[in-house]
């Protein structure tokens, strides 16, 4: 059976720890491999390697670092099918979906290829007499990334291309549920010419994560995952003096105005609520139609489409959604459905009890649709992370805006309408990090930045784009006087350029 280890010095490394965790094929429920869980000593070894590679890489001209990213991008494109197959086999998502996530990740590599432009700095001539001032951005140091199972290729790609292009060295701790794709990507980075020690992978669980959070040579940590773990990582990392960004859980509302095109809304909800089995932090999990008539039309349009969804393993090219990731997730989603029923929500489409021939042990759940959900129910308040959409019937537009703003999460939201006034008011008032207008999953492109508000993000920076550059660099500002021979005498007071 295949055992997935770690990666450093541009080579796979099995480490010294003996603990392992099963990798389970979610389509069958069978163990398909094992992943090694690093000990603190293994993490220390990898941090030292990353720290040793840092000075040379930080001093490498940005254009040379960008050249590695160019070649890496070509290799990702060339190998995208192989990468997507590896990814789908462990995650369960459909092949086109896996290809899509890698393609979005490649866009971040393209952004990182333009890093000399982003690192240009600023210069002000003559801020005082013969005094100039300039600012540069320098790498933070050794950076760690801790990533979730749901985008095993794309979420790491949000981080390390920008971090590396900025001159940092990087240690990635992927999800132990689907770790293989990242190791293949690490080989491609080596093939692209990245020097040894610049990109490293350590597989593991809490022990490895805590060792990274406590290691004095790790300067910054990017985390993407659930809110409970993200908050813990943020607190522990920052209390150790590190820079931390933690992108976390979500409950994304789509507000449907009475004037919205219902066919367009239905298409948008089918993709955004059920694509990837709802295991996306930008999935729409709450629909808020405004007014009873809009709600009735929505349910009528949506229900047959959900019933017709093709649920199948990724090996079936007609599959529209695959299994959820684990038995634990499968049980948790069922538990939420029970809670919704107990509290009186109306389960219009029930995707439970699905048995696929030949895949009886798989974690498949068909699309589920709840109507008449209220804001006091757990299925409204908590992230289910499965193919379950809740419809909360909104009394008015203001009622919907309040729902969006009062929810503890603030990752994404969308409004569907033909009314420009409503759309503008909505994006302006929503206390949410990413807003879509007639766009259900408003994931920003790579040269903008991704991130939520409220309990969907701990820390000050969003990820990738210029926010990524700011997170992975420190600002340094110089004030210079040339020619140096001019005497100003001792200055006891602060002076400004205007005094000169
Ligand atoms: P998770 O929080 O369980 O795991 C994320 C990472 O943390 C993994 O690498 C895991 O090994 C590690 N981890 C787990 N338990 C830990 C512990 N006790 N101590 C230290 N480290 C620990 O998340 P997941 O289930 O893999 O991913 C799903 C979650 O990620 C959802 O909540 C989803 O919304 C969120 N997510 C958020 C974004 C975003 O950008 N906001 C993007 C993708 C996923």
């Amino acid at each position: 059976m295949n055992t997935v280890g770690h990666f450093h010095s541009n080579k796979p490394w099995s480490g010294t720890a003996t603990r392992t965790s099963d990798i389970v094929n979610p389509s069958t429920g069978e163990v398909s491999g094992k992943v090694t869980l690093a000990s603190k000593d293994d993490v220390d070894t990898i941090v030292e390697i990353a720290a040793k590679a840092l000075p040379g890489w930080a001093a490498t001209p940005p254009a040379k670092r960008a050249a590695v990213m160019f070649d890496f991008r070509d290799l990702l494109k060339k190998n995208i099918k192989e990468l997507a197959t590896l990814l789908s086999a462990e995650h369960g998502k459909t092949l086109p979906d896996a290809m899509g996530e890698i393609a979005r990740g490649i866009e971040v590599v393209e952004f990182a290829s333009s890093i000399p432009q982003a690192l240009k700095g600023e210069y002000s001539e003559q801020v005082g007499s013969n005094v100039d001032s300039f600012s540069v951005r320098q790498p933070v140091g050794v950076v760690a990334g801790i990533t979730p199972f749901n985008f095993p290729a794309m979420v790491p790609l949000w981080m390390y291309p920008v971090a590396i292009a900025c001159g940092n060295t990087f240690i990635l701790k992927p999800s132990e549920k689907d770790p293989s794709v990242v190791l293949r990507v690490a080989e491609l980075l080596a093939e692209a010419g990245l020097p040894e020690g610049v990109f490293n992978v350590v597989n593991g669980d809490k022990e490895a994560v805590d060792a990274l959070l406590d290691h004095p040579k790790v300067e910054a940590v990017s985390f993407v995952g659930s809110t409970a773990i993200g908050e813990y990582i943020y607190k522990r990392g920052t209390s150790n003096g590190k820079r931390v960004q933690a992108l976390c859980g979500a409950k994304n509302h789509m507000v449907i105005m009475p004037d919205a095109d219902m066919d367009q809304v239905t298409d948008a909800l089918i993709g955004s609520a059920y694509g990837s089995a709802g295991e996306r932090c930008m999935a729409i999990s709450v629909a808020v139609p405004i007014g009873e008539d809009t709600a009735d039309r929505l349910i009528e349009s949506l229900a047959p489409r959900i019933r017709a969804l093709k649920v199948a393993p990724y090996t079936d090219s007609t599959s529209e959604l695959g299994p959820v990731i684990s038995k634990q997730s499968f049980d948790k989603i069922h538990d939420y459905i029970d809670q919704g029923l107990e509290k009186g929500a109306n389960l219009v489409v029930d995707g439970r009890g699905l048995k696929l021939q030949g895949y009886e042990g798989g974690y498949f759940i068909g699309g589920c649709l709840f109507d008449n959900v209220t804001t006091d129910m757990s299925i409204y308040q908590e992230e289910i992370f499965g193919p379950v959409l809740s419809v909360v019937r909104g009394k008015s537009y203001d009622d919907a805006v309040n729902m969006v703003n009062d929810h503890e999460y603030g990752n994404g939201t969308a409004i569907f309408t033909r009314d420009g006034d409503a759309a503008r008011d909505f994006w302006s008032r929503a206390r949410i990090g990413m807003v879509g207008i007639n766009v259900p999953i408003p994931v920003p492109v790579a040269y903008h930045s991704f991130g939520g508000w409220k309990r969907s993000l701990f820390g000050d920076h969003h990820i990738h784009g210029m926010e990524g550059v700011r997170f992975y660099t420190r600002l340094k500002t110089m004030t210079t006087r040339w020619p140096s021979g001019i005497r100003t005498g001792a200055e006891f007071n602060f002076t400004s350029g205007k005094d000169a």
Side-chain angles (χ1 to χ4, degrees), residues 129 481 486-491:
S129 247
R481 172 175 281 135
I486 294 174
R487 290 193 63 185
T488 55
E491 285 163 356

Side-chain angles (χ1 to χ4, degrees), residues 73-306:
R73 176 233 185 228
D74 289 347
L75 287 168
L76 286 172
K77 285 192 88 136
K78 202 169 124 198
N79 293 283
I80 190 165
K81 279 205 181 121
E82 179 205 341
L83 294 169
T85 308
L86 257 178
L87 191 164
S88 291
E90 289 182 354
H91 178 283
K93 65 174 71 174
T94 66
L95 272 177
D97 199 21
M99 305 260 282
E101 86 157 86
I102 299 168
R104 288 303 295 263
I106 289 173
E107 291 173 8
V108 183
V109 182
E110 288 165 354
F111 171 75
S113 305
S114 69
I115 209 71
Q117 168 74 12
L119 294 178
K120 268 191 325 199
E122 295 176 328
Y123 196 103
S124 298
E125 185 187 7
Q126 205 72 348
V127 295
S129 247
N130 294 312
V131 179
D132 299 341
S133 194
F134 64 97
S135 300
V136 297
R137 293 204 154 265
Q138 295 188 331
V140 176
V142 176
V143 176
I146 299 155
T147 53
F149 79 84
N150 67 323
F151 286 106
M154 183 186 77
V155 166
L157 278 161
W158 284 353
M159 303 174 179
Y160 60 81
V162 182
I164 288 173
C166 286
N168 303 282
T169 56
F170 199 92
I171 302 166
L172 179 65
K173 206 304 282 173
S175 169
E176 60 275 38
K177 296 188 177 111
D178 44 16
S180 294
V181 66
V182 150
L183 289 172
R184 180 71 188 109
V185 171
E187 289 173 355
L188 297 180
L189 265 170
E191 202 180 323
L194 195 69
E196 290 183 8
V198 176
F199 179 73
N200 312 278
V201 181
V202 62
N203 271 304
D205 55 5
K206 183 170 164 47
E207 182 174 346
V209 171
D210 286 349
L212 288 167
L213 293 173
D214 294 344
H215 201 296
K217 289 190 183 167
V218 173
E219 298 277 352
V221 177
S222 294
F223 169 86
V224 176
S226 61
T227 294
I229 307 297
E231 187 169 22
Y232 162 77
I233 281 172
Y234 181 77
K235 286 184 177 159
R236 188 157 175 162
T238 51
S239 74
N240 284 331
K242 301 183 196 317
R243 188 179 278 197
V244 182
Q245 58 177 179
L247 287 85
C248 297
K251 197 80 184 176
N252 305 313
H253 298 58
M254 182 198 282
V255 176
I256 299 140
M257 298 297 282
D259 67 351
D261 177 333
M262 202 49 83
D263 291 338
Q264 191 193 5
V265 166
T266 305
D267 285 344
L269 277 174
I270 288 292
S272 61
Y274 303 103
S276 206
E279 292 175 322
R280 290 180 181 143
C281 68
M282 288 293 274
I284 296 289
S285 47
V286 179
V288 189
I290 305 303
E292 290 297 324
D293 174 62
T294 314
D296 291 343
R297 286 188 292 121
L298 176 71
I299 299 286
E300 195 184 321
S301 170
L302 206 49
R305 292 281 300 275
I306 299 169

Side-chain angles (χ1 to χ4, degrees), residues 38 53 96 106 121 177 225 335 351 367-368 372 418 428 445 466-467 486:
I106 289 173
K177 296 188 177 111
D335 190 39
C368 298
N372 294 310
R418 292 180 167 107
S428 175
V445 291
M466 285 310 293
E467 281 279 274
I486 294 174

